[in-house]
Amino acid sequence: MDLPRHHTIRDGDQRIVNPFTAEKLAVLGRAIRLRPGGTLLDLASGRGELLCTWARDHHISGTGVDLSTVAVEMSRRRADELGVSDRVTFVHGDAGGYVADRPVDVAACIGATWIGDGVNGTIELLERSLRPGGMLLIGEPYWRLDPPDQETVEACHAQHRDDFDDLAGLVRRFQRQGWDVVEWVLADPDSWDRYSAPHWLTIRRWLDENPDDELAGAFRDELTGDPLRHVLRREFLGWGVFALLKR
């Protein structure tokens, strides 16, 4: 059970594998008013930057769960680097079936709502680990502008226009499920650049070093096409992390 190899190659040494900068991640931690001693569960935790930096900066503890063995190992190394390995734990496993042993103060899924077959299912999954009165964090894309054609839709990692809501539709979706939106931090075009553009240099360096690898052809196609797709993506696709409290 692991992520395909091309994911870890493409992401290289990036710490945050979402269109979010370290600065925005720090703003989010302050915005939701984390308290020392609080507990957090991060499903599909990626490379652990959220949990590790918030443990350092806000003196919380928690658990991250991810399908990628590479990501889990990087998370554990990051915890050691930041001196928080006594307060955070990273588990290799299927986040879509994970429920915390004890209810947590904050339950998060940042940019991976596929673990619950979409936003609605992910909210239901996270709530199973949340204490009464606790907070959910959902990271999710939305349409900034209505895509004019199928080319734009596919450039934005979608197959159909209705794969994503617009921002108002996403807020209404949260509310229909019985949750108040109480904070958010949104990506911007520069955030998208800092997420997407490093892939290209990583891929190019890898291609130079591995021209005969079985993935070389697919990566060559991606390096040719993705900068052009990104031109559309940064204009039409938004992304943000939304803090929710149960009504």
Side-chain angles (χ1 to χ4, degrees):
M1 182 171 57
D2 209 336
L3 284 182
R5 187 165 62 103
H6 71 268
H7 285 288
T8 56
I9 293 171
R10 180 195 297 114
D11 289 333
D13 60 359
Q14 284 181 266
R15 297 264 14 127
I16 301 173
V17 288
N18 282 305
F20 228 38
T21 61
E23 292 77 15
K24 286 185 180 291
L25 188 62
V27 167
L28 178 64
R30 295 192 297 269
I32 63 172
R33 307 174 196 178
L34 292 167
R35 298 176 179 176
T39 54
L40 188 150
L41 173 67
D42 189 5
L43 295 185
S45 53
R47 295 170 174 198
E49 194 70 359
L50 179 151
L51 188 52
C52 289
T53 57
W54 287 4
R56 177 196 64 189
D57 297 340
H58 301 282
H59 307 287
I60 65 168
S61 62
T63 300
V65 184
D66 201 89
L67 189 66
S68 168
T69 55
V70 171
V72 168
E73 180 57 32
M74 291 180 71
S75 299
R76 291 168 178 164
R77 290 201 302 268
R78 185 62 165 161
D80 289 339
E81 291 171 5
L82 298 185
V84 296
S85 56
D86 60 330
R87 283 183 277 132
V88 298
T89 300
F90 291 97
V91 176
H92 173 241
D94 180 5
Y98 191 92
V99 178
D101 293 335
R102 297 181 179 179
V104 298
D105 298 306
V106 181
C109 177
I110 308 301
T113 55
W114 49 265
I115 69 170
D117 295 322
V119 172
N120 294 2
T122 300
I123 287 175
E124 293 171 2
L125 172 63
L126 290 172
E127 189 177 7
R128 294 169 64 189
S129 295
L130 194 67
R131 69 162 176 80
M135 178 179 288
L136 297 187
L137 297 178
I138 299 284
E140 182 69 4
Y142 61 88
W143 294 117
R144 294 181 65 240
L145 298 172
D146 194 45
D149 50 40
Q150 186 63 20
E151 179 187 10
T152 303
V153 169
E154 293 179 5
C156 295
H157 307 299
Q159 293 300 314
H160 307 285
R161 165 64 181 81
D162 59 3
D163 286 349
F164 305 135
D165 296 302
D166 61 15
L167 184 54
L170 188 55
V171 171
R172 293 189 188 103
R173 180 184 295 274
F174 296 140
Q175 292 174 343
R176 284 196 302 269
Q177 282 199 265
W179 296 81
D180 287 323
V181 178
V182 296
E183 256 293 1
W184 71 37
V185 177
L186 303 182
D188 54 33
D190 181 64
S191 306
W192 277 108
D193 290 343
R194 291 303 86 226
Y195 170 58
S196 295
H199 291 157
W200 311 331
L201 182 56
T202 297
I203 290 171
R204 175 52 196 269
R205 295 295 191 224
W206 184 89
L207 283 170
D208 289 345
E209 295 171 2
N210 301 274
D212 299 320
D213 190 279
E214 62 181 0
L215 296 179
F219 271 134
R220 165 42 59 192
D221 291 344
E222 182 173 344
L223 183 56
T224 300
D226 197 62
L228 296 172
R229 290 189 291 270
H230 179 62
V231 173
L232 299 175
R233 191 158 53 237
R234 73 194 301 274
E235 182 72 16
F236 286 91
L237 191 61
W239 192 90
V241 181
F242 301 85
L244 313 176
L245 290 176
K246 188 79 168 182
R247 289 185 174 179

